[in-house]
Amino acid sequence: GVVYYNDNYTEDDIFLQKHADCSQNWYDFLEELGNKTVLKGFSNFDGGLDTKYDRTGTESITSVYKGYEIMYHVCTMFPELDDRDEMILDRKRHIGNDVIIIVFNDGNTPFDPRIINSHFPHIYIIISKTGTDENGSSIYTLAIASKEGITSFPPSVPDPAEFKSGRYFSNFIVAKCINGERTAKLHLPIFKNITKRFNTTFVHDIVNSYVKSK
């Protein structure tokens, strides 16, 4: 999941944020993450988003890293609904079930992960733009916040945790997401049980398909 945060935002503020009301810093950051992709007709990994009827928006951000296809759940790119409660639920249905949430902090107050009320997110990658260098490249800081039970996972965050815009920065974020999700699913009971049930169902479906084809 990817969310926009500004000073003193509540959970409702995060999930009601309109894409058009965000800053240029947000749009630039999304370009760092990957490519803007039209969802309708998209045939690669969709991350559970609707690629037929635009029910989860018309576009999202995608990337490919070392053979891994990435579909980000970008909060502000989900549909804007007239019903506030329905809009929150619609967005939280996806982002609230992600293991990792990338938070772009566009304000001056620290982001507190506890404002997002969900059992599933366990790792927060918090990113802020701090300025530009002499060549006009954006400079970002990155911090990791995680719930109890999450052990350290690569790649290591440098000290100071500053990154210049570009391929290295975007690859670092993706690698951190992939390894963080692996760590959570391997070591935390809540995810190990879900993975076990999924694998059991998956094998059962394969066996049934094989039997029916005979």
Side-chain angles (χ1 to χ4, degrees):
V2 189
V3 302
Y4 177 88
Y5 176 82
N6 214 321
D7 291 331
N8 302 313
Y9 267 29
T10 65
E11 183 181 49
D12 285 359
D13 291 328
I14 290 173
F15 287 108
L16 290 171
Q17 178 68 46
K18 295 182 179 180
H19 193 67
D21 293 341
C22 294
S23 69
Q24 186 61 45
N25 288 340
W26 170 248
Y27 306 138
D28 292 343
F29 173 65
L30 293 182
E31 289 185 6
E32 295 288 337
L33 285 184
N35 301 311
K36 186 183 290 186
T37 301
V38 175
L39 290 175
K40 184 175 286 186
F42 186 68
S43 58
N44 294 341
F45 176 70
D46 59 25
L49 300 184
D50 177 25
T51 58
K52 292 183 178 180
Y53 306 108
D54 292 337
R55 286 175 295 199
T56 54
T58 59
E59 296 176 321
S60 191
I61 302 296
T62 63
S63 182
V64 177
Y65 173 75
K66 293 186 176 181
Y68 289 92
E69 295 181 356
I70 311 296
M71 172 66 78
Y72 290 103
H73 294 160
V74 182
C75 189
T76 63
M77 299 179 79
F78 280 82
E80 296 174 11
L81 307 177
D82 294 331
D83 188 310
R84 286 169 53 93
D85 292 340
E86 187 178 345
M87 183 170 166
I88 291 171
L89 288 173
D90 185 56
R91 294 178 172 197
K92 199 172 180 181
R93 183 179 297 115
H94 294 274
I95 295 168
N97 285 303
D98 287 327
V99 177
I100 297 175
I101 296 181
I102 299 170
V103 180
F104 183 75
N105 187 347
D106 203 24
N108 297 311
T109 56
F111 169 78
D112 185 347
R114 292 174 296 183
I115 69 174
I116 295 182
N117 183 25
S118 177
H119 295 297
F120 281 92
H122 273 66
I123 300 169
Y124 297 84
I125 301 176
I126 305 161
I127 296 169
S128 301
K129 180 179 177 180
T130 58
T132 56
D133 67 8
E134 63 277 5
N135 297 316
S137 297
S138 296
I139 304 297
Y140 297 94
T141 59
L142 182 150
I144 305 294
S146 59
K147 292 183 180 179
E148 185 177 357
I150 297 292
T151 58
S152 61
F153 53 92
S156 298
V157 177
D159 184 15
E162 290 187 344
F163 296 83
K164 185 183 297 186
S165 59
R167 177 61 63 183
Y168 176 78
F169 178 47
S170 60
N171 284 349
F172 185 94
I173 295 172
V174 174
K176 204 68 177 169
C177 288
I178 292 171
N179 290 319
E181 183 163 337
R182 280 178 176 169
T183 298
K185 290 184 175 180
L186 282 173
H187 298 292
L188 297 181
I190 184 175
F191 298 116
K192 288 172 70 174
N193 292 337
I194 291 172
T195 302
K196 183 178 180 180
R197 288 199 301 269
F198 172 80
N199 290 340
T200 301
T201 302
F202 183 64
V203 171
H204 184 265
D205 289 344
I206 291 176
V207 170
N208 282 345
S209 297
Y210 178 78
V211 170
K212 288 178 181 178
S213 65
K214 290 295 185 179

